[in-house]
Amino acid sequence: MSTQAKPRQVKLRDVAQAAGVAVGTVSRVLNANPTVTEAVRRKVQAAIDDLGYEMDVVAQSLRGGTTKMVACAIRDFDIPQFATYIKEAERIFRENGYTLLLSSTTNQPDVEMALLRAFERRRVDGIMMTISDEGHAGVARALAEAGVPVLLIDRDHIGTLDRVTVDHFGGARAATQHLLGLGHRRIAMLVGDLKAFPSRSRVEGFRAACAAAGVAIDPGLLRERVLDQEDAFRETMALLSLPDAPTAFFVAAMDTLGGSLRALRALGREVGRDVALVAGSDSDLAELYSPGVTAIRWNLAEMGRHAATMLLERMRGEAPATSRALKLPTTLVIRQSCQAVTAGNRD
Amino acid sequence: MSTQAKPRQVKLRDVAQAAGVAVGTVSRVLNANPTVTEAVRRKVQAAIDDLGYEMDVVAQSLRGGTTKMVACAIRDFDIPQFATYIKEAERIFRENGYTLLLSSTTNQPDVEMALLRAFERRRVDGIMMTISDEGHAGVARALAEAGVPVLLIDRDHIGTLDRVTVDHFGGARAATQHLLGLGHRRIAMLVGDLKAFPSRSRVEGFRAACAAAGVAIDPGLLRERVLDQEDAFRETMALLSLPDAPTAFFVAAMDTLGGSLRALRALGREVGRDVALVAGSDSDLAELYSPGVTAIRWNLAEMGRHAATMLLERMRGEAPATSRALKLPTTLVIRQSCQAVTAGNRD
């Protein structure tokens, strides 16, 4: 047996010929692409079974230098907005024959650097990720040395990499203008970490709107590093207990609205009557809360689609040499959570 | 240069010795384990850089037969409950040196079978997944032929595989008993696909509670294949327009509460006054809606932790030969969305 000649390796084109379809169709079947009809899938699978075709991805990786894997690392993937983004990106990659590796960065530079090295060892073909601190020299170096295309998700500082971002500046400015227009002057803002683009541009938008209206910002009302609902609860409680409490809350950090709503409820403050409220990202909760919460919205599915497409083009060498940046627009969805401040609170 | 002897390959233990740490610590650094302190991480990374240590995962895979990759395939990962589950599972895998592959099954048996083959080609060390139809012969065969350990997520039919499930039967029975106890007799139930365990056991729990109370079920009030918020909106609208409309809604399908709430709002029905409402899975929306929506709750993070731990044990050969099943308990969180029916609606 051991002296017998190894049988000729069955190739993709043999399968295609036997099934009477194009090579690309066989590839789509192998990659579990849902656009293939069940009839075609069965025909191709029958040919694969008949011919004993075996695609060895790991061995191919060593020969061809491509693993058809893309890594995605984000700070926390139980944030619903990220899930919508990843869902769309994964669909695009899967339909193009790529498998997604998913890791959490836990929002720590050390983990981000270690992940970049781990992705390199896995020989992924491309990476899309968030980073916690756009000014971190070690992370910047690790990104530069990644060896494969990297696309940044909603990060803007490192200009040499492709990136998809959101116009948080415009969104925050519109939200602040809305509150100012209703007479609010003491506006509290809850925002994430200023080391990263989204929070930084939200604060810039807030400042721009206040400056344009000639309204001074009380630094005590600007609360940074609000990263989850517990942070939002604590900061909202603290702000409400100030002697000169804010009349409006701009809860700008992602997926933190629930925390602020619990604090308002705990202290018996009614949204739209006692305080005005704007959410930094739209959600079922913002829409269906009573009263509905005015919120900033952007198209997360479109963001995921664009990111995956841009990264695929870069991986295939179809992108221009210079880095590309796509900025998605935001809209302010106005509901019933903001009202003119009562005379007693006006300053 | 080409005739020169290849330098001795730097091993993990050389790095450990140079850094003055255990081999396991080096491994944890390489795997981006966040439990390693920054000081230790730096020391190990310095030793790696000094010695020029290179871990080639792909080449190791060919030699050692292990890729340290685990695949996770679920029907839709922008369902927040799944995201919490995956977040915890990914953390356990990452801390144990495994990387997660993530794919959507789009809830189609053909895609599930194709993914199982694709995972095999990627030589993953283990798989955890949902399947859309526990009675599908092709999927059952593909699972049996997977060649690596498979853990089913909230699926119970295929008894030869490890699985983590939720006591949906008990949850649905408690929810139904609650509604029956408040006097409701015409209870609508919105549920997913009965081909899979969660919906099937929810309906069984509903039937058991009705049977015990001697209440006949109107088949017209049991709506199946409610898979997303659009389905829930449409079915709730249809149910409300029945001449003999239900007085209570048990919106049992995952992440569909928003759709039913929109329908009730569109028709001007107030929850807790005009209709009673129970949600099949708890959420910020259920908690913070006015009135709060009574909901079934279970610990999703714990479910993810257990699933990852069970699969790791199976992959390492530390699990017993027979399959293991873990069933998580549910609790009914009672809020203000259910009230005694008004006399006019009582039958």
Side-chain angles (χ1 to χ4, degrees), chain A residues 132-135 189-204 207 222-227:
Chain A
S132 53
D133 178 358
E134 284 154 302
M189 183 179 193
L190 276 63
V191 75
D193 196 326
L194 300 193
K195 287 177 183 159
F197 168 77
S199 296
R200 214 167 48 236
S201 48
R202 285 172 178 135
V203 170
E204 284 166 11
R207 289 190 188 284
L222 185 58
R223 303 291 172 115
E224 298 170 20
R225 289 198 55 77
V226 174
L227 296 175

Side-chain angles (χ1 to χ4, degrees), chain A residues 30 38 45 56 62 67-68 100-102 110 117 121-123 229 262 265 284 287-288, chain B residues 30 38 45 56 62 67-68 100-102 110 117 121-123 229 262 265 284 287-288:
Chain A
L30 289 168
E38 196 172 330
Q45 191 58 47
D56 188 325
L62 276 183
T67 56
K68 291 268 182 179
L100 197 68
L101 288 182
L102 191 67
D110 274 359
R117 287 188 294 266
R121 289 194 300 273
R122 290 235 172 260
R123 300 193 191 178
Q229 295 199 15
R262 284 188 191 91
R265 184 170 287 191
D284 283 348
E287 180 192 340
L288 292 166
Chain B
L30 289 168
E38 195 170 331
Q45 192 56 49
D56 188 324
L62 276 184
T67 56
K68 290 266 182 182
L100 197 68
L101 289 182
L102 192 68
D110 273 359
R117 287 189 292 266
R121 291 193 299 272
R122 291 236 172 261
R123 299 192 192 179
Q229 296 199 15
R262 283 186 192 94
R265 185 170 286 189
D284 283 348
E287 180 192 340
L288 293 165

Side-chain angles (χ1 to χ4, degrees), chain A residues 15-64:
Chain A
V15 175
Q17 200 174 1
V21 300
V23 170
T25 306
V26 179
S27 179
R28 282 204 299 284
V29 170
L30 289 168
N31 293 317
N33 187 323
T35 63
V36 181
T37 64
E38 196 172 330
V40 168
R41 198 186 300 278
R42 292 219 168 125
K43 200 160 60 177
V44 171
Q45 191 58 47
I48 287 170
D49 295 342
D50 283 354
L51 298 171
Y53 174 76
E54 276 294 335
M55 180 172 131
D56 188 325
V57 178
V58 176
Q60 275 187 358
S61 301
L62 276 183
R63 285 197 302 271

